[in-house]
Amino acid sequence: MPTFGDFSKESDFYQGSRFEHGSMIGDMTIGSKKVYGRDLWRTPHDPDWPESGLGLASEFGCGDNGVTCTGKGDITNGVLGYDTAQIGEPFLKIGVGALIKGSCPDCVGDPAQVYQFNSPYKFYRTPKWAVLDSPGSNEITFVSEEILGDNGYRIEKTVRLDGNVLTVRTLLSNAGKKQFTTPWYSHHFFSGDNIPIRPGYSLDLGLSEFGLKADKAVFTQPGLGSWSADMNDYVGVLAAKDGSISMNVTKPIPDGVRLKANFLDENMPTLTDGSFTIKAPNGISVYERIPELQTQSRNPFMYGYNVYIEKGTLSPEPMLLLYLQPGETTSFTQHLKFGSIDVAFSLYAYFSGSRRRSGQYTQIADNPIENEIPRRIATV
């Protein structure tokens, strides 16, 4: 029998209206070192604030205001039924649940009622996540389904830990009567041992830009001049001869400074598999890939590749595009391999969101990797 997570205010880590509630996976401990911690990002923690995610927190949508996202066709910003709902009526945010239109602080006084992705909406009803029986202590599966009128979705998420490899497999189904297309991305709230972002952090992106005349990568900064500072003032962004891109933090990121770069541009020939390698000053590295992007199937596609940086996070954000007809299911897998300068380590992963009960976090049992591993497992 499935059991249901407790979504009461006393026990739930994340109750926001932005990130998928089943994606709060973080506080990962490797030996004595920690990555994806929660002590640098949006502290003190407010479970109701949309940005208060943890670790691999993911969002269905493009991380911007508006009911649709940029691109060809009708690409929803992770919301279903928003346009037809009246103020005070419900709509669906995929992975979050049923929300009330017009209930967010930034909605007040807006005659157009533009969807505000980062403003807290009130819930129309309490979201439910069922925790399914697992074959072993190193694996957990949980599921959530929401149907509202002709719109609906079902998410099944399986998290598995094998030695130094963590996989997060998501099955998304269209449980409604209308097709939808939506982006998806994991925010990757990454830091090591709660060390603020400074020199010692680096990022290698699994993409190549062709046709470059210099050794500088081409990217856009959508918030430059309004809410973001210049990426070039704090980060060295270089392109190798083969067009591959590396980023090295050159100055500590001060409080209040936000940086964002978009690397996929329709005017720049680019190849990418959505992978990256990220390194922290504590010697821990993480290599992530999404194997489904290597196939020739129509789901998923690459939609974008962003990098977001603040004092509390270095966040690579490869974005997928998912297209589902009624009754159709698609899947994608985050495959994360952890490396360390230590010869061997044990990895503990902590889950919140739907997993948290009675104020305690459930721990997945550690599974130490073999002693004969290479001293660095960063590029696979």
Side-chain angles (χ1 to χ4, degrees):
M1 280 290 291
T3 59
F4 286 85
D6 180 4
F7 278 82
S8 68
K9 285 186 177 296
E10 290 76 23
S11 65
D12 197 38
F13 178 81
Y14 183 77
Q15 301 176 94
S17 57
R18 176 181 175 183
F19 294 120
E20 176 198 344
H21 285 197
S23 66
M24 301 296 140
I25 304 167
D27 273 350
M28 302 176 192
T29 302
I30 304 168
S32 62
K33 301 175 181 179
K34 181 179 288 188
V35 291
Y36 292 109
R38 53 186 160 129
D39 295 328
L40 281 179
W41 179 256
R42 297 299 181 264
T43 55
H45 178 73
D46 179 356
D48 295 315
W49 188 247
E51 286 188 317
S52 297
L54 170 73
L56 303 185
S58 64
E59 179 180 13
F60 288 92
C62 48
D64 207 348
N65 291 333
V67 72
T68 59
C69 300
T70 302
K72 297 180 180 179
D74 185 14
I75 301 176
T76 180
N77 195 4
V79 294
L80 306 175
Y82 186 89
D83 279 339
T84 57
Q86 301 297 313
I87 295 178
E89 294 182 342
F91 66 96
L92 294 181
K93 170 74 171 180
I94 302 174
V96 174
L99 307 174
I100 300 174
K101 187 172 182 177
S103 63
C104 74
D106 292 343
C107 301
V108 178
D110 179 13
Q113 283 300 306
V114 174
Y115 170 66
Q116 304 288 329
F117 82 107
N118 209 29
S119 190
Y121 284 85
K122 294 180 181 179
F123 281 83
Y124 175 72
R125 61 189 176 215
T126 303
K128 299 292 185 181
W129 286 82
V131 181
L132 307 183
D133 292 336
S134 300
S137 61
N138 67 325
E139 182 176 311
I140 183 74
T141 298
F142 32 98
V143 62
S144 180
E145 181 175 287
E146 290 283 354
I147 298 176
L148 192 65
D150 291 338
N151 299 297
Y153 67 85
R154 183 181 189 274
I155 295 176
E156 181 177 313
K157 186 177 292 287
T158 298
V159 184
R160 181 179 176 86
L161 183 62
D162 291 295
N164 64 324
V165 175
L166 179 71
T167 56
V168 184
R169 185 170 187 257
T170 301
L171 277 73
L172 175 66
S173 302
N174 185 343
K177 300 177 181 179
K178 299 179 179 180
Q179 71 85 22
F180 63 79
T181 304
T182 181
W184 171 94
Y185 69 99
S186 175
H187 202 298
H188 284 284
F189 292 111
F190 181 85
S191 63
D193 285 337
N194 296 314
I195 301 171
I197 307 305
R198 60 164 175 78
Y201 282 94
S202 65
L203 177 62
D204 295 323
L205 306 181
L207 55 80
S208 295
E209 295 179 338
F210 297 91
L212 299 176
K213 296 181 180 179
D215 61 352
K216 230 173 189 183
V218 174
F219 57 91
T220 59
Q221 301 186 68
L224 189 61
S226 56
W227 57 264
S228 73
D230 191 342
M231 180 76 72
N232 297 296
D233 290 342
Y234 298 92
V235 180
V237 186
L238 299 175
K241 290 182 179 179
D242 62 357
S244 59
I245 295 172
S246 63
M247 306 179 70
N248 293 280
V249 179
T250 57
K251 289 196 305 186
I253 310 299
D255 286 323
V257 169
R258 295 182 289 172
L259 309 170
K260 185 173 183 178
N262 296 348
F263 284 93
L264 285 188
D265 189 304
E266 61 183 6
N267 298 316
M268 172 59 64
T270 306
L271 292 177
T272 181
D273 60 2
S275 65
F276 62 81
T277 300
I278 192 168
K279 300 176 183 178
N282 64 354
I284 300 297
S285 65
V286 181
Y287 169 74
E288 186 195 87
R289 61 187 177 91
I290 300 175
E292 289 83 357
L293 290 173
Q294 308 292 336
T295 70
Q296 298 301 312
S297 64
R298 70 184 185 92
N299 260 327
F301 297 107
M302 280 297 298
Y303 174 76
Y305 204 134
N306 303 332
V307 175
Y308 183 83
I309 305 175
E310 284 191 28
K311 180 180 180 179
T313 184
L314 174 57
S315 300
E317 299 173 351
M319 305 180 76
L320 309 185
L321 187 63
L322 311 169
Y323 175 87
L324 285 91
Q325 292 284 357
E328 187 176 6
T329 297
T330 189
S331 65
F332 51 93
T333 307
Q334 294 172 264
H335 183 282
L336 295 94
K337 190 166 188 178
F338 294 79
S340 173
I341 58 174
D342 298 328
V343 174
F345 58 85
S346 299
L347 173 63
Y348 296 81
Y350 291 83
F351 299 81
S352 58
S354 61
R355 295 288 317 281
R356 195 178 182 202
R357 294 190 180 85
S358 303
Q360 299 295 323
Y361 285 93
T362 303
Q363 176 183 314
I364 284 204
D366 63 311
N367 184 8
I369 63 176
E370 295 78 12
N371 290 335
E372 290 78 20
I373 64 169
R375 293 189 65 82
R376 285 192 179 274
I377 312 176
T379 56
V380 184

